[in-house]
Amino acid sequence: MINRQLLLTYLYLLVYILLSSGVILYNKWVLSPKYFNFPFPITLTMIHMGFSGMVAFFLVRVLKVVSPVKMTFEIYATCVIPISAFFASSLWFGNTAYLFISVAFIQMLKALMPVATFLMAVICGTDKLRCDVFLNMVVVSVGVVVSSYGEIHFNVVGTVYQVTGIFAEALRLVLTQVLLQKKGLTLNPITSLYYIAPCSFVFLFVPWCLLEKPGMEVSQIQFNFWIFFSNALCALALNFSIFLAIGRTGAVTIRVAGVLKDWILIALSTIIFPESTITRLNIIGYAVALCGVVMYNYLKVKDVRASQLPVESLPERAVKDLGIEKKSSDLYVPDDTNSSASGWNSTASDIMVDEEAPLIPSSRVSHLGRSQLGSHSE
């Protein structure tokens, strides 16, 4: 018989892949002038933030599913506000890119996420410049450049928006580690939404007033309540699916699932949006970039395991030497849930952010979490 726990794990991963792909394609459909024709990415992102904030408030204050953390004004001003600002920026720029470039090309550009995160970590002093990692970053960058060169419908504005969103998300991840970890503050998915979603909404309100509000003539707006409600609900569900999948498997497995999701998404986007054309050079460049990303993830996993080795007992080491260890990234181990959840950042902003990028920033950014592919504005 199939192991029930293993089956449930695969189910969680399947739900994550479906929701992540669905949110990205849904956002593209809503924003594209050729389809639903709602070319207001800041407005769409504000709807996501407002909906998530209200749900979180209801769960925390009304149903009392979880208790709010001890949040002082100092912590909110020095930690939550700057993190929310960069989170809102990553969502804004990432969603705006859908107006100019295809979903497939966006996914290829997201391969730059490890490069951006590594650079921001080195600049902020949370990581060291290493030759092996630097070479991986060069491989990823070369792959993305080749893929961009092969893009038939290359658009400078859309590419700049997407790359800017990637670097904003990378800085958000590093700030999360630097600020929240030093304060000893741990936020679960619900409390993350409770504190960060409303603040991100406020940050988005300013550019909305300046850039989108003047051009939003009521007679030209298609507002369908069920379209926007279902879109926001899918984005919220994606955030929770990311957390549940990592808690069930591990950050390593979710990274592998993210790679599979990217390939599926690229293929689906060419079917759903016929104008999205993929060239042979696109695929070659993305494959090269992906090789660099995989090697980067491998190095980070190796570093984490090396740092954990001294605290393991001798019997455990002996078992590993025999090659019969159970991998926490493949099987569900209840006692390891908290440690695996520390690297759960996806997507996001593939989540919402993405377009897909996650609405919920992680309270702790481990080496595994920082090596995400950008699953994002999954």
Side-chain angles (χ1 to χ4, degrees), residues 163-179:
V163 173
T164 303
I166 289 173
F167 275 88
E169 174 66 5
L171 187 54
R172 192 270 299 181
L173 291 175
V174 175
L175 284 177
T176 299
Q177 181 188 26
V178 173
L179 299 178

Side-chain angles (χ1 to χ4, degrees), residues 300-315:
K300 286 301 179 181
V301 171
K302 189 177 179 180
D303 290 344
V304 172
R305 288 180 177 176
S307 65
Q308 293 175 343
L309 188 60
V311 301
E312 294 173 348
S313 64
L314 291 177

Side-chain angles (χ1 to χ4, degrees), residues 107-108 111 143 147 262-263 266 281-290:
Q107 291 307 117
M108 294 176 188
S147 180
D262 287 341
W263 283 107
I266 289 173
L281 204 55
N282 277 147
I283 298 299
I284 293 175
Y286 184 60
V288 171
L290 202 57

Side-chain angles (χ1 to χ4, degrees), residues 165-241:
I166 289 173
F167 275 88
E169 174 66 5
L171 187 54
R172 192 270 299 181
L173 291 175
V174 175
L175 284 177
T176 299
Q177 181 188 26
V178 173
L179 299 178
L180 291 185
Q181 277 192 331
K182 286 187 177 181
K183 298 290 184 179
L185 186 64
T186 300
L187 301 178
N188 60 46
I190 298 177
T191 52
S192 293
L193 284 177
Y194 178 75
Y195 291 109
I196 294 178
C199 190
S200 296
F201 180 92
V202 173
F203 275 108
L204 290 168
F205 184 76
V206 177
W208 176 79
C209 289
L210 298 176
L211 301 177
E212 291 190 357
K213 185 176 181 296
M216 294 181 69
E217 299 179 9
V218 178
S219 60
Q220 297 180 356
I221 296 177
Q222 298 185 56
F223 189 87
N224 185 307
F225 172 80
W226 293 109
I227 291 292
F228 290 102
F229 174 76
S230 60
N231 181 262
L233 188 62
C234 287
L236 179 65
L238 172 60
N239 281 274
F240 286 106
S241 74

